[in-house]
Amino acid sequence: MDAQSRGRAEEIDPADQWVLNPRTGHYELQLNDSAARERPKVAAPRRSSSAPAAPTAPSPGVPGQRRGDAPPGGRRGGGRSRKGGGGGGRRKKALLITSGTLALLLVGGAAAAYLYYDHLNGNLSVTDIAGAGTGGFKKDQAINILVIGTDKRSGAGNEGYGDKDSVGHADTTILFHIAKDRSNATALSIPRDLITTVPDCPTKQPDGTTKTVRGAKGVRFNTSLGQEGRDAGCTMRTVKELTGIEVDNFMMVDFNAVKTLSTAVGGVPVCLEKDVDDEDSKLKLTKGEHKLEGEQALAFVRTRHAFGNESDLDRIKTQQQFLGSMMREMKSKETLTSPKKFFSLAEAATKSLTVDQGLGSIDKLTDLATELKDIDLKNITFTTLPVLDNPAEKVKATVVVDQRLADPLLQMIRGDVSLTEVEKKEQAAKEAADADAKAKQEALLQGNRAPAGDVRVAVYNGGGPKGAASTTLGWLQNSKGMSKASNQGNAPSKVDATQLEYAPNQADQARALADALGLPATALKVGTTDAAAKTPMKLTLGPDFQKPGTPLAPPVPQELPKDVQQAQADKAVCAK
């Protein structure tokens, strides 16, 4: 992601060329005299209403290829909006619906509002992640986006940061979970020095083939990217291995993003409880409030010696504070009413981003922004995966997961439970609906039970332990007398929790099977039409399934343990 190589020689800054025409109320491209003489007079490129062509696959562990180099194009017809296909009105609206998202997601959506659509598409780098993740976020499900900040030293001014010869590590990693109902979001930071397992990673090669990079146990989390040819898809796979949460898409930036985005927004406000003079990061600030951009902003998020106990965990808190402040600044009136800031943010954001193919166009980023439009900043929670000093080390340099605190936190994220309080009215309505649904669900367990020999069920493994379907089949037949059970192997798709699907006329069989396996009422999914004779029910074992005869995993907690670090995006916190 070499920002220098992305630039175009003597390119005119679009932020200085697009101005508001008070007579029409539209933004128009106006070149100064010298620019007009140097720039050939060509018609603005017309854009098809369909999505851009799919990007080509980049090399693993190296910058993705740009999606084109089309020149900026303005509104057609002297500033009039296009009819059909969305037009300028849809893109201007997209700008306003991004409030309350993680900074880079917010900018990604905002960028879609700009009129030079093809130009911005050309700024994006796209990586083929060889099947990592779900294949892309879906409108009717919770969304998990992995935001990766690398320590790759690219671009002028970055000589003092990162490892000189490194291809980049997963230096800053945030798993951004957006609730299914879009009322809240959780930003989970993963420490780079966490000892974990990196799985085998299929990785696309320059010639289009796929090579599997062997995994490793007991290594730092940040080696999941760049090292030995691992790409962002491998970081996605590592996050799933670590958290049990499958990632939909990724967004990746390097050092330059902090500098360019903070400058584009006009500076990010920060607060310090003490004077800081860090020789390593070159951060020198007095106690109080400051507005940081460029090199100062990067030094602020990179410093490990200015705050707290000088650990990476305190650096994570500082980065969370900075991101929250950037989000507040981006949704402020000063930003939303400034065309120059809009164009600068669009350029900075798209030039900084490397994404997977599921987010590889401005249209797709706009779709994501649309899904995030209702989240208020106060309902976005930053937190960090709980860790402990590595007990195997005498000199403490790495950390391991603190399972006591991490398990309930990860259960809540997997269970789509908000870590922050959503609007009282919305919460009351949700609780009432949940209570009504629970009562109806519990009623499914009331009634007759079929004899064990009459229970017909096809067993699938949709995320349970390896071989769970086979083990369960043997247990049902040999221990419970359910001889008509069958093993169907792996399910077509994975499920979040174990579920039993059945028809209304199979209710007595479903109750008998639920009794045998200890299934809760929430696992029962009854259809609307009766099944034909000898049609089996469908039991899909999920990640909450351990082994037959053992109760499913306990209910998802509704509150975090007090020791879990968290902060809301709407609150300014002073670094100390």
Side-chain angles (χ1 to χ4, degrees):
M1 289 169 37
D2 190 336
Q4 293 300 100
S5 65
R6 294 174 181 167
R8 293 162 179 81
E10 300 181 1
E11 183 179 21
I12 298 170
D13 182 1
D16 294 329
Q17 306 304 317
W18 288 86
V19 297
L20 180 67
N21 186 333
R23 292 175 297 175
T24 65
H26 298 308
Y27 292 106
E28 298 176 359
L29 180 65
Q30 294 188 6
L31 303 178
N32 58 35
D33 291 341
S34 61
R37 286 194 300 270
E38 296 173 5
R39 193 180 180 102
K41 293 182 179 180
V42 295
R46 289 194 172 273
R47 174 171 59 84
S48 169
S49 60
S50 61
T56 57
S59 302
V62 297
Q65 301 299 312
R66 292 291 170 193
R67 300 190 66 256
D69 197 14
R75 286 184 185 271
R76 267 62 69 178
R80 295 186 298 273
S81 61
R82 298 173 63 215
K83 293 183 180 180
R90 184 177 79 88
R91 302 202 175 283
K92 291 178 74 175
K93 183 178 179 182
L95 175 66
L96 301 177
I97 63 177
T98 57
S99 299
T101 69
L102 189 63
L104 289 173
L105 297 184
L106 186 149
V107 176
Y114 292 89
L115 310 180
Y116 48 111
Y117 171 91
D118 294 323
H119 170 71
L120 294 181
N121 263 329
N123 283 345
L124 292 171
S125 286
V126 184
T127 294
D128 186 333
I129 53 177
T134 64
F137 74 89
K138 297 177 178 59
K139 293 181 180 296
D140 58 346
Q141 296 180 15
I143 300 173
N144 294 302
I145 305 292
L146 193 66
V147 181
I148 307 170
T150 77
D151 61 358
K152 181 176 174 61
R153 279 174 51 164
S154 61
N158 286 332
E159 293 81 3
Y161 301 100
D163 298 328
K164 181 177 180 181
D165 299 318
S166 174
V167 293
H169 300 75
D171 189 61
T172 297
T173 305
I174 298 176
L175 178 61
F176 195 60
H177 172 85
I178 301 100
K180 181 178 180 179
D181 65 5
R182 308 299 188 250
S183 67
N184 64 87
T186 299
L188 175 70
S189 294
I190 301 175
R192 66 178 188 176
D193 294 327
L194 174 68
I195 296 300
T196 189
T197 295
V198 175
D200 292 346
C201 297
T203 308
K204 282 288 185 179
Q205 303 300 300
D207 62 0
T209 61
T210 299
K211 172 186 175 182
T212 297
V213 180
R214 292 188 62 181
K217 294 183 178 180
V219 295
R220 279 179 166 87
F221 174 83
N222 67 352
T223 61
S224 64
L225 176 70
Q227 311 311 299
E228 300 184 30
R230 298 185 180 106
D231 63 7
C234 193
T235 307
M236 294 170 67
R237 290 182 168 93
T238 303
V239 168
K240 181 185 176 183
E241 184 91 7
L242 177 64
T243 67
I245 300 168
E246 193 160 34
V247 182
D248 297 305
N249 302 96
F250 86 87
M251 306 175 83
M252 183 166 65
V253 297
D254 67 9
F255 288 140
N256 285 298
V258 176
K259 296 195 291 187
T260 57
L261 290 175
S262 61
T263 300
V265 80
V268 176
V270 299
C271 173
L272 281 70
E273 288 195 0
K274 63 180 182 181
D275 294 343
V276 169
D277 188 358
D278 180 15
E279 183 177 345
D280 289 343
S281 68
K282 306 299 188 292
L283 181 67
K284 187 174 183 179
L285 296 170
T286 57
K287 175 182 178 181
E289 297 181 356
H290 299 269
K291 209 165 191 180
L292 307 183
E293 60 181 79
E295 291 292 342
Q296 270 197 325
L298 179 56
F300 183 81
V301 299
R302 288 288 299 156
T303 180
R304 292 188 64 168
H305 305 295
F307 308 114
N309 62 4
E310 302 186 10
S311 70
D312 187 54
L313 298 181
D314 282 297
R315 188 180 72 127
I316 287 174
K317 293 179 184 178
T318 302
Q319 292 171 345
Q320 292 175 350
Q321 294 163 12
F322 184 87
L323 282 174
S325 182
M326 182 180 282
M327 291 162 65
R328 294 191 295 273
E329 194 68 14
M330 286 179 175
K331 69 166 294 186
S332 68
K333 290 182 179 179
E334 288 77 10
T335 300
L336 293 177
T337 57
S338 171
K340 182 176 177 62
K341 285 187 179 181
F342 279 162
F343 285 101
S344 295
L345 282 169
E347 288 293 314
T350 53
K351 284 183 178 179
S352 297
L353 280 176
T354 295
V355 296
D356 61 274
Q357 291 174 304
L359 291 178
S361 71
I362 300 302
D363 268 348
K364 292 173 181 178
L365 289 169
T366 302
D367 289 342
L368 179 59
T370 302
E371 293 300 304
L372 308 174
K373 69 181 187 307
D374 295 327
I375 306 178
D376 194 291
L377 285 177
K378 66 184 178 182
N379 293 326
I380 299 178
T381 302
F382 287 101
T383 187
T384 304
L385 184 67
V387 295
L388 298 167
D389 286 336
N390 189 346
E393 295 175 336
K394 291 183 178 180
V395 178
K396 305 303 181 185
T398 62
V399 293
V400 295
V401 175
D402 182 350
Q403 299 294 164
R404 179 181 66 87
L405 298 179
D407 286 349
L409 170 60
L410 294 176
Q411 285 180 38
M412 290 180 71
I413 296 175
R414 289 193 296 263
D416 202 27
V417 177
S418 174
L419 302 190
T420 189
E421 185 178 3
V422 296
E423 292 287 348
K424 294 287 186 182
K425 185 176 181 181
E426 295 176 2
Q427 185 68 12
K430 184 175 184 299
E431 289 176 354
D434 287 347
D436 182 57
K438 183 177 180 180
K440 292 180 179 178
Q441 201 70 29
E442 291 292 342
L444 297 178
L445 291 175
Q446 307 302 315
N448 297 328
R449 270 70 172 164
D454 292 344
V455 174
R456 294 179 182 272
V457 60
V459 184
Y460 295 81
N461 190 347
K466 186 176 181 180
S470 176
T471 303
T472 300
L473 173 65
W475 185 81
L476 289 174
Q477 292 179 337
N478 300 325
S479 299
K480 295 298 178 180
M482 297 183 177
S483 58
K484 295 178 182 177
S486 62
N487 173 17
Q488 300 299 314
N490 290 331
S493 59
K494 294 185 178 180
V495 294
D496 294 330
T498 298
Q499 61 183 32
L500 174 62
E501 300 171 81
Y502 63 97
N505 62 336
Q506 295 173 322
D508 56 345
Q509 296 182 52
R511 296 185 194 108
L513 185 61
D515 288 347
L517 286 171
L519 299 179
T522 52
L524 274 58
K525 313 293 179 185
V526 61
T528 57
T529 58
D530 285 346
K534 297 185 178 181
T535 299
M537 300 180 292
K538 181 180 178 181
L539 173 66
T540 306
L541 307 176
D544 56 345
F545 184 84
Q546 301 174 50
K547 61 181 181 179
T550 300
L552 299 182
V556 176
Q558 299 300 302
E559 292 185 2
L560 277 179
K562 293 182 180 180
D563 294 339
V564 175
Q565 175 264 335
Q566 57 179 308
Q568 274 63 56
D570 66 322
K571 297 177 181 177
V573 179
C574 290
K576 57 184 179 180

